[in-house]
Every structure is written in structure tokens, then in C-alpha cells.
Amino acid sequence: IGLSRGRGISLIHDIGQASYAVPIVIQQYITNPLLIDGYKFDLRIFVLVLSFNPLEAFIYREGFARFGSQKYSSCVKDISDERIHLTNSSIQSNYMN
């Protein structure tokens, strides 16, 4: 927990595969994610919140998108393929030529 750059992320098909030896976060996978041209993506948008009551926030004009490097597949045999399911830049850079 508290790692960055995709370290410590695991994709599993069966909850019984989870290791409970250390504290973990478990999330249910979105089975029908929004795709761009068949690829998973996420958007990184920066927001500065100055006040919550009343709410005062500023959205930075620039952000960026991150993409998987392989087209999305919902096949169980592909669940361990990080290139499909994880959009983290550090993980994707492991597969660049």
C-alpha cells in the first residue's frame, strides 16, 4: 500500500487468489469500461481546491490521457496482461521497444 508507478498492482480472476499476508486494497473490476478506439484509458486532471464550504476550486487547463498498449479484452485468459488492463505509464514503458 502507498506504492507508486504501478508497483504492487495485481490483477486476479478469483478472490481466493488474493494474498492477505500484508494490508491490501481490493477493487472490483469494471466489466465494460469506456474505451477509445478499443483501448482502455484514464485521464489525469489537476484540480486546486481552495475551500470546501463554500466550494471554490480551479481546474488546470492542461491534463493528459494514459492508454493501455494492447486493445481491451474481457477474456479471463487475458486478465494478467498488464498491457491491456493497466494504463500506468511506468508499467506501459516496460513493454516499449
Side-chain angles (χ1 to χ4, degrees):
I1 296 182
L3 299 176
S4 62
R5 299 187 320 248
R7 294 175 292 172
I9 295 175
S10 299
L11 297 169
I12 59 174
H13 175 66
D14 181 347
I15 192 70
Q17 295 173 296
S19 170
Y20 299 100
V22 296
I24 60 172
V25 173
I26 297 176
Q27 296 177 321
Q28 184 174 357
Y29 195 75
I30 297 172
T31 55
N32 189 18
L34 184 62
L35 305 173
I36 293 180
D37 200 24
Y39 294 88
K40 280 190 68 178
F41 70 98
D42 69 52
L43 300 174
R44 180 69 57 100
I45 300 170
F46 301 96
V47 178
L48 171 64
V49 178
L50 296 178
S51 172
F52 288 99
N53 192 10
L55 180 61
E56 185 177 9
F58 297 91
I59 299 174
Y60 190 67
R61 290 184 187 267
E62 296 182 18
F64 59 92
R66 302 182 301 180
F67 290 84
S69 59
Q70 297 292 314
K71 286 204 173 194
Y72 178 75
S73 168
S74 60
C75 293
V76 173
K77 68 177 183 63
D78 292 330
I79 194 66
S80 62
D81 191 338
E82 297 176 328
R83 301 169 301 168
I84 295 172
H85 299 287
L86 302 178
T87 59
N88 185 288
S89 304
S90 295
I91 289 173
Q92 292 298 328
S93 68
N94 293 329
Y95 301 103
M96 299 184 88
N97 294 336

